[in-house]
Amino acid sequence: MLKKISQIAFAIMMVLMLISCKNTKQKLQEYVVTYNKSIAPSFRAENVTITTARGYINDDKIELRFETNLEQNEANKSASVISFPKLIKLMIDKDQIPRQLIEEGVRFDVYFLANDNTVLDKEVLTGESLKDFLK
């Protein structure tokens, strides 16, 4: 009798665990909503005026955009190539860009944009490139 109760309890626990687990696509969607509602409004970085996230569920991809007040010129582009990866590393360290999602195969396309929305720098975060950012 006790063995039967234990088996039933174990089966119920397993079902509850499976129901409560989220797949990668659900985590991607949840991250985008959380980023835009919680992280983006309070985000502060030098020259960044606004940041937004957009999810592409079918492609397992998230696009982060950092719009700045910088003009599109070679000096700003050169400076961005140095400062932007540092900003990304800081965001990974603070879990504002979740390492777990990247390790699960979600690709992050991260754009640092000039005041005219042209690209100053672009970084792509994948499982492979994550190693470079964590050095």
Side-chain angles (χ1 to χ4, degrees), residues 1-12:
M1 178 73 167
L2 187 57
K3 185 177 180 182
K4 193 76 156 170
I5 293 172
S6 296
Q7 289 175 338
I8 292 171
F10 180 74
I12 291 171

Side-chain angles (χ1 to χ4, degrees), residues 120-133:
L120 288 169
D121 191 25
K122 175 187 177 186
E123 299 292 338
V124 176
L125 300 175
T126 63
E128 286 297 312
S129 69
L130 184 62
K131 296 170 189 169
D132 295 332
F133 280 96

Side-chain angles (χ1 to χ4, degrees), residues 36-134:
N36 287 328
K37 285 188 177 180
S38 301
I39 297 172
S42 61
F43 187 83
R44 300 287 175 257
E46 188 175 351
N47 299 313
V48 175
T49 56
I50 191 169
T51 179
T52 56
R54 184 179 300 155
Y56 298 90
I57 295 172
N58 293 333
D59 297 331
D60 286 336
K61 181 174 94 170
I62 294 174
E63 181 180 282
L64 296 179
R65 297 171 48 98
F66 295 87
E67 296 178 26
T68 70
N69 56 7
L70 300 172
E71 290 183 22
Q72 177 64 270
N73 60 42
E74 282 306 311
N76 286 337
K77 201 167 190 155
S78 296
S80 296
V81 170
I82 296 167
S83 64
F84 191 47
K86 290 178 184 178
L87 174 64
I88 292 172
K89 182 183 182 334
L90 181 64
M91 290 181 73
I92 293 169
D93 291 343
K94 289 181 175 181
D95 205 33
Q96 292 174 328
I97 297 176
R99 187 178 304 169
Q100 179 186 7
L101 273 179
I102 298 169
E103 291 168 349
E104 288 182 21
V106 175
R107 175 179 145 169
F108 279 75
D109 288 354
V110 191
Y111 297 91
F112 202 58
L113 304 172
N115 58 3
D116 61 357
N117 278 336
T118 57
V119 177
L120 288 169
D121 191 25
K122 175 187 177 186
E123 299 292 338
V124 176
L125 300 175
T126 63
E128 286 297 312
S129 69
L130 184 62
K131 296 170 189 169
D132 295 332
F133 280 96
L134 299 178

Side-chain angles (χ1 to χ4, degrees), residues 19-32:
I19 291 171
S20 67
C21 291
K22 295 177 184 169
N23 66 32
T24 302
K25 292 187 185 307
Q26 290 168 320
K27 290 178 190 175
L28 181 154
Q29 201 169 21
E30 187 176 275
Y31 170 77
V32 170

